[in-house]
Amino acid sequence: MSQIKNAACVGGGVIGGAWVARFALAGIDVKIFDPHPEAERIIGEVMANAERAYAMLTMAPLPPKGKLIFCKSIEETVKDADWIQESVPERLELKRGVITQIDAAARPDALIGSSTSGLLPSDLQAEMKHPERMFVAHPYNPVYLLPLVELVGGKKTSKTTIERAMLGVEQIGMKGVVIAKEIEAFVGDRLLEALWREALWLIQDDICDTETLDNVMRYSFGMRWAQMGLFETYRIAGGEAGMRHFLAQFGPCLKWPWTKFTDVVDLDDALVEKIGAQSDAQAAGRSIRELERIRDENLVGIMHALKSGNGGEGWGAGKLLADFEAKLWANAKKPEADLGDVKPLHILDTKVSAAWVDYNGHMTEHRYLQVFGDTSDGLLRLIGVDLEYVRDGHSYYTVETHIRNLGEAKLGDALYSTCQLLSSDEKRLHLFSTIYNAATKEAVATAEQMMLHVDSKAGKSVAAPAKVLDKLKAITEAHAGLPTPEGAGRFVGQKR
């Protein structure tokens, strides 16, 4: 399958709107159909949350955001799409009818995915003329952050369709898992339903309230599950003897009367009000949008932690994030500059997002360091020190940094950075970078850095190769005629 260039989303609620964000932030144009009178506002709010989350998630260069186009009909929405995602309410007749409409209007080679949480794809494709291209693509909320999507084919779904779908979700940074046999609720929702059923009984029987139950999960096995699944966790619990010992020791417990999994709780008005009241108290006045932002910040933090896990190789969702970032960098527009230009190099353009500011509305200290780090990375790419160079075992490491904060960068401010090379030799780079407010052209902060060329496998400094040194020489000679920047060579506490 060639790259997805145009996507269509039919249904723009919680799940459909988040699919829109996932596609758009991957650089894919999205056409949308949703008859709800406030669909544009709802999707706009989801997009705002998604962009805020991505600003926290990665500094890798995202492609230009895809265009959002709201359409008046299903036919107009899907006619040019490579991937069509159906996310209408969970009613079989409604979904089947919408998917049949999509099938009639879509290109013959377009993929058609359904966000259904549990309906069988065979039932959904029953009235299609081209059922072989329809499948379930079941995501998890928030779709723009949680990477998993369960891919489930029906009786008439072709093998090629599932293979194409796997490539498609990889393009937008998701982890596709193919479910071998279709079954109601697939895998994830069957597990969640079992836990949900037991949780309702615990509340019904006054064993605990909703906050206690959530605390039991988030302070214990919820943390384990974020980085290892059920069976891998239990393998460790089995000790040196592993999974077989665990099953022998704890398997008999399954016969004990510990659970009400097979009983259905009566969700009468009293129980609904009981859970609703406890949930209201637990929220402590926070709005849904506030809770979404807290959730997104926490999920980003978890993925960042997993990205640095496993000895820096990444683990689980963190490894997936690292791999996606590597592709973003590889596909990014290559930096362009005249290496012999007698002025500081313009390296980076960025904007202060909501994820970058503190309680005062100012850009936080570590974001300044991040922008300066991205500036030095931009310089390195100009001289040929890119991801492939690093993978081959060599790089430049920062060994010293001195940052001066000269002004304030606030939410929404457009910024740009420049870099001046003060000196270089076969191993060292001495550079001076400045962050400017793009509107006022005033310097907001400066950073003076010393970088050292290293053989990362040997763990020692070594001379850079000639191809890198030649480019460095051109910049160094051009910048030799520039005045020394004000602030270069300063130390903490030095009077101006």
Side-chain angles (χ1 to χ4, degrees):
M1 176 185 177
S2 59
Q3 294 268 302
I4 303 170
K5 295 180 180 177
N6 298 289
C9 288
V10 178
V14 172
I15 297 298
W19 269 112
V20 170
R22 174 67 83 164
F23 284 123
L25 293 178
I28 298 167
D29 293 340
V30 190
K31 288 186 176 180
I32 305 146
F33 174 74
D34 191 313
H36 193 288
E38 295 194 69
E40 290 193 39
R41 177 189 63 79
I42 293 169
I43 290 174
E45 290 181 356
V46 174
M47 278 296 302
N49 270 359
E51 290 183 85
R52 181 178 184 273
Y54 271 50
M56 293 184 289
L57 183 66
T58 182
M59 278 297 289
L62 294 173
K65 186 170 66 175
K67 292 181 291 186
L68 304 188
I69 303 165
F70 290 86
C71 300
K72 301 294 185 183
S73 68
I74 288 177
E75 291 74 18
E76 179 189 359
T77 305
V78 308
K79 63 180 181 179
D80 298 317
D82 303 307
W83 180 302
I84 302 155
Q85 189 67 25
E86 170 275 311
S87 305
V88 302
E90 194 79 350
R91 299 195 298 274
L92 176 59
E93 292 305 320
L94 174 62
K95 279 187 175 288
R96 180 189 287 156
V98 167
I99 288 170
T100 302
Q101 279 186 268
I102 292 171
D103 180 48
R107 291 195 333 246
D109 61 336
L111 292 175
I112 302 175
S114 173
S115 299
T116 178
S117 298
L119 298 175
L120 294 177
S122 290
D123 291 338
L124 295 173
Q125 65 188 186
E127 298 175 4
M128 296 176 66
K129 290 183 178 179
H130 302 286
E132 69 283 349
R133 41 97 167 260
M134 184 270 158
F135 57 98
V136 165
H138 175 235
Y140 289 79
N141 191 36
V143 181
Y144 53 77
L145 268 185
L146 292 184
L148 185 77
V149 56
E150 293 176 292
L151 300 175
V152 192
K155 294 175 182 175
K156 298 179 181 179
T157 306
S158 72
K159 180 180 178 182
T160 301
T161 290
I162 298 300
E163 291 172 349
R164 292 174 63 202
M166 281 290 286
L167 294 174
V169 297
E170 181 182 337
Q171 179 187 340
I172 58 176
M174 300 186 81
K175 172 70 174 179
V177 292
V178 178
I179 307 305
K181 297 180 181 178
E182 65 174 336
I183 185 173
E184 293 88 347
F186 325 124
V187 175
D189 276 353
R190 293 180 78 88
L191 296 173
L192 288 173
E193 193 275 341
L195 183 61
W196 171 237
R197 185 189 297 248
E198 187 65 25
L200 289 173
W201 276 113
L202 291 170
I203 305 301
Q204 162 72 28
D205 294 345
D206 293 319
I207 306 301
C208 64
D209 60 15
T210 60
E211 184 171 10
T212 299
L213 191 144
D214 282 355
N215 282 342
V216 167
M217 295 179 66
R218 64 180 176 173
Y219 289 110
S220 62
F221 54 83
M223 295 177 71
R224 293 193 312 215
W225 287 351
Q227 51 84 42
M228 284 186 179
L230 183 69
F231 285 103
E232 204 160 28
T233 296
Y234 283 168
R235 178 180 180 85
I236 295 172
E240 294 291 334
M243 180 59 76
R244 291 172 181 79
H245 174 69
F246 178 85
L247 291 172
Q249 183 174 1
F250 295 102
C253 300
L254 296 174
K255 297 180 180 180
W256 298 352
W258 279 5
T259 179
K260 294 188 177 183
F261 273 171
T262 56
D263 299 331
V264 180
V265 68
D266 182 11
L267 276 172
D268 57 18
D269 291 345
L271 181 55
V272 169
E273 178 56 32
K274 180 180 184 179
I275 294 173
Q278 290 180 9
S279 179
D280 290 343
Q282 185 179 351
R286 299 183 185 92
S287 70
I288 292 298
R289 292 292 176 254
E290 287 178 282
L291 291 171
E292 286 174 342
R293 287 192 290 271
I294 293 169
R295 173 203 65 193
D296 290 356
E297 289 174 7
N298 294 339
L299 289 173
V300 166
I302 290 168
M303 284 191 273
H304 281 171
L306 292 174
K307 182 181 167 184
S308 61
N310 189 28
E313 294 293 319
W315 187 264
K319 176 71 163 59
L320 187 74
L321 172 60
D323 292 344
F324 184 56
E325 287 180 323
K327 290 176 183 175
L328 289 174
W329 282 113
N331 294 329
K333 182 180 178 182
K334 302 304 179 186
E336 297 176 359
D338 182 353
L339 302 187
D341 202 358
V342 187
K343 64 180 181 180
L345 299 169
H346 185 121
I347 300 291
L348 183 71
D349 294 282
T350 189
K351 189 175 183 179
V352 181
S353 74
W356 286 23
V357 298
D358 59 17
Y359 50 85
N360 292 315
H362 301 153
M363 193 161 92
T364 57
E365 290 184 36
H366 78 278
R367 294 296 182 180
Y368 283 101
L369 182 60
Q370 180 176 305
V371 173
F372 283 125
D374 290 334
T375 301
S376 58
D377 284 347
L379 172 68
L380 294 180
R381 289 195 297 276
L382 278 174
I383 62 174
V385 181
D386 53 16
L387 284 174
E388 184 177 351
Y389 187 92
V390 172
R391 278 196 294 266
D392 287 342
H394 293 85
S395 186
Y396 278 89
Y397 287 1
T398 303
V399 293
E400 189 173 351
T401 299
H402 179 216
I403 293 178
R404 296 186 308 151
N405 295 299
L406 306 178
E408 295 177 346
K410 300 179 181 179
L411 178 63
D413 284 353
L415 307 175
Y416 69 89
S417 68
T418 64
C419 183
Q420 180 175 340
L421 196 54
L422 301 180
S423 66
S424 66
D425 59 27
E426 62 179 13
K427 292 184 180 180
R428 294 177 298 177
L429 285 180
H430 184 192
L431 51 98
F432 191 92
S433 301
T434 305
I435 298 173
Y436 291 94
N437 182 299
T440 66
K441 309 301 182 186
E442 293 179 352
V444 176
T446 68
E448 186 174 357
Q449 295 170 293
M450 181 66 73
M451 305 185 79
L452 194 63
H453 189 267
V454 298
D455 181 330
S456 53
K457 295 177 180 177
K460 64 179 183 179
S461 62
V462 296
K467 63 180 181 180
V468 170
L469 293 177
D470 288 345
K471 293 180 180 179
L472 267 180
K473 182 180 178 182
I475 301 174
T476 305
E477 290 179 350
H479 288 191
L482 293 172
T484 301
E486 190 278 322
R490 282 181 55 85
F491 54 84
V492 175
Q494 181 181 350
K495 293 182 180 180
R496 295 192 178 185

